[in-house]
Amino acid sequence: GAVVSQHPSRVICKSGTSVKIECRSLDFQATTMFWYRQFPKQSLMLMATSNEGSKATYEQGVEKDKFLINHASLTLSTLTVTSAHPEDSSFYICSAESPDYNEQFFGPGTRLTVL
Amino acid sequence: KQEVTQIPAALSVPEGENLVLNCSFTDSAIYNLQWFRQDPGKGLTSLLLIQSSQREQTSGRLNASLDKSSGRSTLYIAASQPGDSATYLCAVTSPVFGNEKLTFGTGTRLTIIP
């Protein structure tokens, strides 16, 4: 149990385009989902926290208009990188939390490369 | 602000040796501490989770300890194997403005030499 998937696993796009990344909890309902970003050889940095049915809470320094987060259901959250630029190239990882488990379960990550 | 530090940043040991990875955190008001494993280009695999009321957790060759008052945790790996080579991350869950926030350490890149 407690499996989290991400799609796509890898995406390459041109500068200026938008990219959507999906995060799904496959076998449990996630009241809260988190989005992290990881640059090469660095640790994970929390970008935002999203609760189902409400607006996401963004960490300081993260542009909410650039990184759009939608948590429309208890099993799906999406992160859209709008007008992507090469500096947005990174590894994006989501996690999902269930009140039943009291811990976060992580997806396999999405490698974004912006040309 | 919670800060999590891991020492060393990189470690290489011969196969079969026992080893210890260290993690320290600045704010002792935590809910729990987790150790994760990350293989290159992959997501996170949870290894052990220690609740704030616990002192240690064990899983197979892994043993994690927690000293909340001093802000320290160690991950002990017994009889290391080449398959243990990966980056190990520790993370603490802290209360932030009524929510729970996971703060990650900088990671230790472990290489087991066959």
Side-chain angles (χ1 to χ4, degrees):
Chain A
V3 178
V4 176
S5 69
Q6 277 185 246
H7 178 79
S9 59
R10 184 182 295 266
V11 58
I12 301 173
C13 69
K14 293 182 179 180
S15 183
T17 61
S18 294
V19 175
K20 180 185 285 188
I21 303 170
E22 293 186 349
C23 176
R24 293 182 184 271
S25 56
L26 298 184
D27 49 6
F28 67 100
Q29 292 186 329
T31 52
T32 306
M33 287 186 169
F34 304 84
W35 287 95
Y36 297 84
R37 180 167 54 185
Q38 185 179 34
F39 291 108
K41 297 187 179 180
Q42 295 187 24
S43 192
L44 278 74
M45 297 299 295
L46 180 65
M47 298 175 66
T49 302
S50 73
N51 293 295
E52 186 267 338
S54 63
K55 291 184 178 180
T57 302
Y58 290 80
E59 294 299 299
Q60 191 173 9
V62 178
E63 300 175 57
K64 62 179 66 177
D65 294 330
K66 180 169 184 62
F67 299 99
L68 302 178
I69 292 173
N70 186 296
H71 193 165
S73 77
L74 287 173
T75 59
L76 173 64
S77 176
T78 61
L79 168 68
T80 301
V81 183
T82 62
S83 187
H85 290 282
E87 57 265 31
D88 298 325
S89 298
S90 187
F91 193 55
Y92 292 86
I93 302 178
C94 74
S95 70
E97 183 178 80
S98 165
D100 296 332
Y101 292 106
N102 194 31
E103 68 176 283
Q104 295 179 31
F105 298 95
F106 287 81
T110 296
R111 171 76 58 193
L112 170 63
T113 302
V114 184
L115 303 177
Chain B
K1 178 185 175 184
Q2 181 71 270
E3 293 183 2
V4 182
T5 304
Q6 291 184 245
I7 295 174
L11 179 66
S12 294
V13 299
E15 179 179 1
E17 285 196 3
N18 305 324
L19 59 99
V20 175
L21 307 181
N22 298 291
C23 172
S24 62
F25 47 96
T26 55
D27 187 347
S28 62
I30 65 170
Y31 291 131
N32 57 52
L33 182 144
Q34 276 185 275
W35 283 93
F36 295 89
R37 169 190 172 130
Q38 185 176 31
D39 292 291
K42 304 293 184 181
L44 303 181
T45 300
S46 180
L47 299 173
L48 291 164
L49 182 150
I50 311 175
Q51 299 294 347
S52 62
S53 58
Q54 297 175 323
R55 284 263 181 188
E56 66 177 344
Q57 282 287 334
T58 298
S59 176
R61 295 182 293 108
L62 305 180
N63 176 277
S65 68
L66 173 64
D67 185 342
K68 198 175 77 163
S69 61
S70 67
R72 294 179 181 179
S73 175
T74 61
L75 178 66
Y76 175 83
I77 302 178
S80 58
Q81 303 171 358
D84 295 330
S85 297
T87 295
Y88 290 80
L89 298 166
C90 72
V92 296
T93 303
S94 309
V96 178
F97 301 113
N99 294 315
E100 296 183 8
K101 180 178 177 179
L102 200 61
T103 304
F104 282 85
T106 46
T108 294
R109 190 168 64 255
L110 176 65
T111 303
I112 305 301
I113 305 166

